[in-house]
Amino acid sequence: MSSSLAGFRNLATKIVCVGRNYKDHALELGNAIPKKPMLFVKTVNSFIVEGEPIVAPPGCQNLHQEVELGVVIGKRASKITKSNAMDYIGGYTVALDMTARDFQDEAKKAGAPWFMAKSFDGSCPIGGFLEASAIPDPHDVELYCKINGKDQQRCRTNVMIFDIPTLLEYTTQFFTLEVGDVVLTGTPAGVTRINPGDVIEFGLTDKLESKFFVK
């Protein structure tokens, strides 16, 4: 199923993102802990790969990084259950959910959507692809993000509020996930302001690493 998914970025129809799925991150931004998964979407114009620079959208004065484990969908998923959710996973990746935090704060105050803050061109720097077999337990890996060589985020995935089967069951009650779609499972604490000239390295410890430059 997953052997053809190395080019998942060209297959994806959407990037479904989970907000506030790590307690410490919700608290660091002064947000309530969700009682059910909180979903939003990035469109595929968000994808960039190594060699392409991270660029803040026009007018953004406070760009943040959010490192996330990404689930790559391996077969069409609609209204699935937790009991068989893992069967729909083709593999994994790691991404940055780049966020124009000033845009988002303004939108939240106005009760407006986050689209401008979350889905601008290049707002999803994406890493490589790992076969599902390379991660027997996606709830027992370590996410990390380093900025200019210093740890900024580092956390094991076992502290997610909602685990991956729960996320996939919930998401697919509302949205069909197509082959190649990516579900970003949330970010741990440690988000911070990103500046031109910064170098961001992120990945899964001992499994996957990517490096991007901020322009």
Side-chain angles (χ1 to χ4, degrees):
M1 175 175 63
S2 57
S3 59
S4 62
L5 285 175
F8 67 90
R9 293 175 297 272
N10 298 317
L11 298 172
T13 66
K14 56 190 168 294
I15 307 154
V16 177
C17 306
V18 183
R20 306 175 192 170
N21 200 28
Y22 287 77
K23 179 180 177 181
D24 288 349
H25 171 62
L27 295 177
E28 74 178 342
L29 295 181
N31 293 317
I33 306 301
K35 292 182 170 57
K36 59 185 178 181
M38 185 175 140
L39 305 180
F40 61 94
V41 71
K42 285 179 178 278
T43 42
V44 294
N45 62 291
S46 302
F47 282 138
I48 54 172
V49 297
E50 281 189 281
E52 297 180 278
I54 296 170
V55 181
C60 174
Q61 300 298 317
N62 192 15
L63 182 66
H64 281 195
Q65 98 296 339
E66 300 184 2
V67 67
E68 311 206 10
L69 174 66
V71 174
V72 180
I73 300 302
K75 60 181 180 179
R76 195 170 193 263
S78 176
K79 296 179 172 58
I80 66 174
T81 63
K82 285 192 284 189
S83 62
N84 67 351
M86 301 301 283
D87 296 339
Y88 290 82
I89 296 175
Y92 299 94
T93 188
V94 183
L96 295 178
D97 171 15
M98 300 303 299
T99 302
R101 192 71 69 197
D102 47 349
F103 290 10
Q104 186 186 37
D105 289 345
E106 182 179 347
K108 285 162 68 175
K109 288 176 185 175
W114 298 355
F115 187 64
M116 294 283 287
K118 288 287 193 176
S119 200
F120 54 90
D121 286 349
S123 62
C124 189
I126 195 89
F129 176 75
L130 284 173
E131 300 274 350
S133 59
I135 303 182
D137 182 1
H139 306 102
D140 188 30
V141 291
E142 184 179 66
L143 274 172
Y144 71 89
C145 178
K146 297 187 287 186
I147 300 176
N148 302 324
K150 295 182 180 179
D151 270 10
Q152 188 63 39
Q153 295 179 276
R154 188 172 291 273
C155 185
R156 298 197 73 79
T157 53
N158 63 346
V159 296
M160 287 183 191
I161 296 171
F162 303 105
D163 65 14
I164 290 169
T166 300
L167 295 176
L168 294 183
E169 179 185 72
Y170 184 81
T171 300
T172 62
Q173 303 314 300
F174 303 95
F175 316 107
T176 298
L177 296 174
E178 304 289 353
V179 174
D181 283 355
V182 177
V183 178
L184 297 184
T185 56
T187 196
V191 302
T192 192
R193 184 172 182 166
I194 300 300
N195 298 296
D198 284 347
V199 178
I200 306 178
E201 298 166 276
F202 62 92
L204 294 175
T205 301
D206 298 328
K207 293 183 181 295
L208 195 64
E209 179 164 296
S210 296
K211 180 187 288 189
F212 283 78
F213 298 87
V214 183
K215 186 173 180 180

